[in-house]
Amino acid sequence: MDENFLEETFQLRTDYIPLCDLLKYCSVTESGGEAKHFIADGNVMVDGDVELRKRCKIRPGQVVSGLDFEIRVVAAP
């Protein structure tokens, strides 16, 4: 696997997290603004489907992925 590939499990402590915030918190992008452009350009998939909604609600059990990252969202214990 590519050494630059980000594979992460994100523990969600609330009901959901907006997609743009998740990308920022997991360091896929450096800022929320960059995340919004990244999503709008079609670079992000949620559960295997391209997602263009910047504030899409990501909930436990979902997988957010792209060319060089995969984030599995789980409920915090």
Side-chain angles (χ1 to χ4, degrees):
M1 185 172 289
D2 185 359
E3 66 185 47
N4 294 323
F5 189 84
L6 170 70
E7 193 167 8
E8 186 168 336
T9 299
F10 181 82
Q11 292 190 354
L12 186 61
R13 295 181 181 0
T14 57
D15 289 339
Y16 69 89
I17 183 170
L19 179 56
C20 57
D21 292 347
L22 178 67
L23 296 178
K24 180 177 65 173
Y25 292 145
C26 291
S27 299
V28 173
T29 62
E30 292 185 15
S31 68
E34 183 181 335
K36 290 175 182 178
H37 290 293
F38 191 68
I39 295 164
D41 288 343
N43 295 314
V44 180
M45 292 189 296
V46 175
D47 295 334
D49 296 320
V50 173
E51 181 58 69
L52 300 174
R53 296 173 295 163
K54 300 168 201 65
R55 301 204 52 83
C56 172
K57 295 177 179 178
I58 304 300
R59 301 179 189 279
Q62 292 190 291
V63 177
V64 176
S65 60
L67 185 60
D68 57 358
F69 68 94
E70 180 177 280
I71 304 164
R72 295 187 176 280
V73 180
V74 298

